[in-house]
Amino acid sequence: MNLKYLLVVICLWIWSQSLAFSISDDGLMRITLKKRNLDFHSVNSARIKTAIHERDDLKSVEKNCCKNDVVYLKNYFDVQYFGEIGIGSPPQYFNVVFDTGSSNLWVPSSRCIFSIACYLHSKYRSGISSTYNEIGVPCEIPYDDGYIYGFFSQDNVKVGDIIVKDQEFSEITREGNFALLALPFDGILGLGFQDISVGKVTPVWYNMIEQGQILDKVFSIWLNKDPMAEKGGEIVFGGMDKSHFKGDHSYFPISQDGYWQIEVGDILLGNNTTGLCEGGCAAIVDSGTSLIAGPTGVVTQINHAIGTEGYVSFECKDIVHNYGNLIWENLISGLNPEILCVDIGLCSNNGIQRMNDVIETVVYNESRDGAATLESPFCSFCNNIVLWVQVQIKQSNVKEKVLKHVDELCERLPNPVGESFINCSSISSMPHITFTIGNKLFSLSPEQYVGRVESDDEDRSPVCYSSFVALDAPSPQGPLWVVGDIFLQAYHTVFDYANLRIGFAEST
């Protein structure tokens, strides 16, 4: 009787594993992704922002490993897609986000005893793995408003039917953020480049290639937006599944080492320019966030066009009222817009803007003794107003109409703690938002960029929200876009390591 029971359990286990991955006749390794439907709390908590870190603070990372000190932090709280991997021999299974915006693999450790979140997730136990190798070097990994803490270990990692031998990863011993309590996944598997890996650890997918597990140096991602679908999405290592897209992919070169980063051009509202990226902006393609994050000046224009309930800024409106005429006259006369706010005294010369929040900008300048001094956040508002006036001048609008429009834009500045909400009944009247990449146009319809959360309470109406949030990265990394799952749902994406390029095709 016990033997029969054991056989039934084994059969059920094998069947369940077949649902998580599959190898087809074409030899491609497919990892099925699960989809988590958002609720109101997770939508309201989602955010993304930049942070400035001194290299001395990035422990376990060589001081000269990075070209700049700017990273963007995401809280993963609204991430919808994750899949299963195994670590150790025999495999211990974990749900992880396959994240192209980071490069480390980390999961909770059995030594995590002082963080409540660890008790609600699977924990790696090195003592029961026959292939575990101790490393023990401590590490800090950027996460949410700061870091999570742990140490490096080495073991075999099972991704689908592939076993990556002697993979270095992080056992997390302290997860300080309470947001982790509600997460349906245990950790992160980074699909970014080794350049941004904490501790210069070799990413899992690098080792797949080096160990001959996949022949073509490429992986592709398809995400299913349908909340009722049984399969949330799929990641394919070694190629692509032609049933998930139509037409041909358009490919664009990687523009900088580290991230899957490309150059984008103007972002269009309907057929109208938003101005800032006409000369080019950086864009990181990031499967580890649901959002599309971009410069405040452009996101505010999007908010105004789609009628979000924004964050009223009296400081911004005050600048329009006191300096609007002067800004208009200087732009009409041909003054360089990049120095206009310096010229009228709202910005310091050679100021370096650094974002402490998605709205408030703090600018640090060096005094004669080398100390940092704070500059007024009016500088950031002034620069956005100059951008908005420039866009309106190109549309040949008269001064009174322009200043009225800019005053309205001040009322649409993005919510500093999350998304901005929308009247669900107005979705059909919203414009398409189009990203110019190379000489191609990639449009998102309102149905694609507006999120909708249904309430469990029949008496409550659904909640709709904009998937665009503010992210102001300082130069030279910025202006910067982070293109997350909202875009990847619309466009099947190929990450081509052999040719250092990214390809997009319309998703099916």
Side-chain angles (χ1 to χ4, degrees):
M1 188 71 177
N2 289 336
L3 179 60
K4 291 182 180 180
Y5 176 77
L6 179 60
L7 290 173
V8 170
V9 171
I10 291 174
C11 290
L12 288 174
W13 180 83
I14 293 173
W15 175 77
S16 68
Q17 297 310 302
S18 69
L19 297 179
F21 63 88
S22 62
I23 302 177
S24 63
D25 294 336
D26 54 18
L28 301 178
M29 170 54 63
R30 291 169 166 82
I31 306 297
T32 299
L33 301 179
K34 306 169 189 177
K35 183 176 182 181
R36 168 208 185 202
N37 293 325
L38 299 184
D39 55 28
F40 180 82
H41 183 57
S42 61
V43 168
N44 198 43
S45 298
R47 62 190 182 279
I48 185 169
K49 67 178 185 176
T50 58
I52 307 299
H53 295 287
E54 299 299 329
R55 289 194 175 103
D56 288 341
D57 292 337
L58 296 178
K59 297 178 182 178
S60 299
V61 182
E62 295 180 14
K63 291 187 178 182
N64 296 322
C65 75
C66 307
K67 291 187 176 180
N68 55 62
D69 295 320
V70 181
V71 297
Y72 67 93
L73 302 177
K74 51 193 176 182
N75 69 351
Y76 292 100
F77 199 49
D78 66 332
V79 169
Q80 296 172 268
Y81 300 92
F82 52 93
E84 188 177 71
I85 65 167
I87 303 178
S89 302
Q92 303 169 44
Y93 288 96
F94 302 89
N95 284 321
V96 297
V97 173
F98 289 85
D99 178 18
T100 59
S102 66
S103 299
N104 291 83
L105 168 61
W106 63 262
V107 295
S109 171
S110 60
R111 301 184 189 181
C112 183
I113 57 176
F114 296 112
S115 294
I116 298 175
C118 286
Y119 289 94
L120 301 180
H121 295 95
S122 299
K123 295 192 287 186
Y124 170 76
R125 291 168 172 79
S126 60
I128 62 174
S129 174
S130 62
T131 47
Y132 164 74
N133 291 310
E134 181 180 358
I135 296 177
V137 176
C139 62
E140 299 176 357
I141 297 178
Y143 189 99
D144 197 17
D145 289 327
Y147 296 94
I148 55 176
Y149 302 90
F151 58 91
F152 292 118
S153 293
Q154 188 181 70
D155 208 334
N156 292 350
V157 173
K158 187 174 185 287
V159 183
D161 201 37
I162 293 174
I163 296 180
V164 181
K165 296 181 179 179
D166 301 324
Q167 174 65 46
E168 193 170 347
F169 67 100
S170 296
E171 292 190 49
I172 299 305
T173 56
R174 181 149 59 95
E175 298 180 340
N177 196 303
F178 281 102
L180 289 164
L181 292 171
L183 295 179
F185 54 86
D186 307 304
I188 306 294
L189 191 153
L191 295 172
F193 293 91
Q194 189 170 5
D195 306 61
I196 61 168
S197 174
V198 174
K200 303 296 284 185
V201 170
T202 303
V204 172
W205 66 279
Y206 274 46
N207 280 328
M208 285 184 183
I209 296 171
E210 292 173 6
Q211 295 177 18
Q213 301 283 8
I214 53 176
L215 297 180
D216 293 330
K217 300 177 181 179
V218 63
F219 62 89
S220 58
I221 294 178
W222 168 72
L223 301 181
N224 191 347
K225 188 176 181 179
D226 183 1
M228 305 305 295
E230 188 172 322
K231 180 186 290 187
E234 192 172 73
I235 179 169
V236 177
F237 289 99
M240 64 191 81
D241 187 332
K242 294 182 180 179
S243 68
H244 290 326
F245 62 90
K246 58 183 177 181
D248 296 323
H249 286 80
S250 298
Y251 286 92
F252 308 96
I254 299 299
S255 59
Q256 180 174 316
D257 295 338
Y259 293 106
W260 288 101
Q261 180 173 314
I262 58 176
E263 290 292 320
V264 299
D266 199 9
I267 286 78
L268 304 177
L269 276 171
N271 296 319
N272 297 320
T273 177
T274 55
L276 181 64
C277 295
E278 285 181 305
C281 286
I284 294 171
V285 182
D286 181 8
S287 63
T289 180
S290 298
L291 312 174
I292 297 178
T296 298
V298 179
V299 172
T300 302
Q301 293 179 66
I302 293 173
N303 282 352
H304 181 265
I306 65 180
T308 65
E309 297 179 10
Y311 181 82
V312 178
S313 172
F314 295 102
E315 293 89 348
C316 178
K317 295 166 74 72
D318 189 52
I319 293 174
V320 176
H321 297 158
N322 292 325
Y323 297 95
N325 287 320
L326 183 59
I327 290 173
W328 169 274
E329 292 169 3
N330 282 328
L331 288 174
I332 291 296
S333 66
L335 183 68
N336 184 351
E338 294 182 1
I339 65 169
L340 199 159
C341 293
V342 175
D343 193 62
I344 64 179
L346 292 178
C347 292
S348 298
N349 195 24
N350 297 322
I352 302 173
Q353 296 187 19
R354 302 185 174 191
M355 292 304 296
N356 278 353
D357 206 308
V358 289
I359 291 297
E360 183 182 47
T361 300
V362 180
V363 182
Y364 290 87
N365 295 307
E366 286 192 1
S367 61
R368 292 182 180 179
D369 60 0
T373 58
L374 286 175
E375 185 172 36
S376 168
F378 283 114
C379 177
S380 176
F381 292 128
C382 179
N383 285 325
N384 282 325
I385 290 168
V386 169
L387 168 67
W388 299 334
V389 173
Q390 282 182 279
V391 170
Q392 292 299 303
I393 288 176
K394 290 179 181 179
Q395 297 176 15
S396 302
N397 290 325
V398 298
K399 181 174 71 173
E400 289 73 18
K401 183 178 180 180
V402 169
L403 295 183
K404 182 176 183 295
H405 178 78
V406 171
D407 190 75
E408 292 173 355
L409 287 177
C410 287
E411 297 181 359
R412 303 294 184 176
L413 283 168
N415 187 340
V417 295
E419 286 95 336
S420 299
F421 294 95
I422 301 170
N423 185 342
C424 294
S425 63
S426 63
I427 292 177
S428 60
S429 63
M430 296 177 188
H432 280 61
I433 297 173
T434 303
F435 285 79
T436 306
I437 310 177
N439 60 352
K440 301 285 187 178
L441 299 178
F442 295 87
S443 291
L444 297 175
S445 68
E447 291 76 18
Q448 290 172 321
Y449 67 73
V450 172
R452 184 183 180 99
V453 178
E454 301 289 346
S455 174
D456 293 333
D457 187 349
E458 296 181 357
D459 296 329
R460 291 184 61 182
S461 301
V463 174
C464 292
Y465 63 93
S466 168
S467 295
F468 290 88
V469 297
L471 170 67
D472 288 286
S475 180
Q477 190 178 19
L480 174 70
W481 286 88
V482 177
V483 180
D485 291 346
I486 294 300
F487 190 89
L488 300 186
Q489 287 171 346
Y491 295 98
H492 180 271
T493 307
V494 175
F495 300 83
D496 186 349
Y497 181 54
N499 299 293
L500 293 178
R501 61 181 186 170
I502 297 177
F504 301 111
E506 187 176 348
S507 186
T508 56

